[in-house]
Amino acid sequence: RKIDKKEVLLKNDNFAYNCKVCQETCHQPCSDFRRGLCQSVINENIGGCKVCPGKCHYTQHKKESFKIEVTERKNPVEELAMIETRKLDLAEKDLKSKLAEMDRLKIEFYKIVILLKMSGEEGKEDQELLMNIEEIKIMFLD
């Protein structure tokens, strides 16, 4: 995965407490700022940040008029593979639905053929066509 980071300006005298090492915003809005430290995130005992991934020292942080936005991106190849897999799954469901409809229509067609044959002269051939629907399904769908 790729990580994108960009600076986003804050409005109306808002500030963020940003780590210069990790390139992340540790606290925003930051109004609890004394002695150059953001009291909300600094661990007074060790002087390190409680929020940033590197637990960096407070001297590596700065009060700034922008926040750092972090977004993750998937590998483009993985992203494309996921999209194509979803498309394939949808197409497979659609195909199964269409095949079931086609099977249903085949049965209806053969029912009509049998009824038409029965309505005319009944001969030996016509008698052979008189099967129950289950036999027709087996004959034409398997």
Side-chain angles (χ1 to χ4, degrees), residues 27-44:
H27 187 231
Q28 187 269 320
C30 184
S31 58
D32 188 16
F33 200 77
R34 293 178 247 140
R35 298 182 326 218
L37 306 175
C38 175
Q39 302 303 310
S40 299
V41 297
I42 295 299
N43 182 334
E44 294 276 347

Side-chain angles (χ1 to χ4, degrees), residues 1-71:
R1 292 181 185 252
K2 297 225 178 218
I3 296 176
D4 289 332
K5 296 182 180 191
K6 66 179 180 178
E7 295 178 1
V8 178
L9 288 174
L10 299 171
K11 298 178 184 176
N12 303 331
D13 292 329
N14 284 318
F15 295 96
Y17 196 62
N18 298 323
C19 178
K20 295 301 171 190
V21 176
C22 297
Q23 289 293 301
E24 294 202 17
T25 295
C26 297
H27 187 231
Q28 187 269 320
C30 184
S31 58
D32 188 16
F33 200 77
R34 293 178 247 140
R35 298 182 326 218
L37 306 175
C38 175
Q39 302 303 310
S40 299
V41 297
I42 295 299
N43 182 334
E44 294 276 347
N45 297 331
I46 60 171
C49 179
K50 297 183 273 187
V51 179
C52 71
K55 306 294 182 217
C56 301
H57 195 262
Y58 74 90
T59 56
Q60 302 298 322
H61 291 72
K62 190 172 182 185
K63 179 181 175 182
E64 296 175 304
S65 61
F66 63 88
K67 66 179 179 178
I68 300 169
E69 235 175 49
V70 179
T71 56

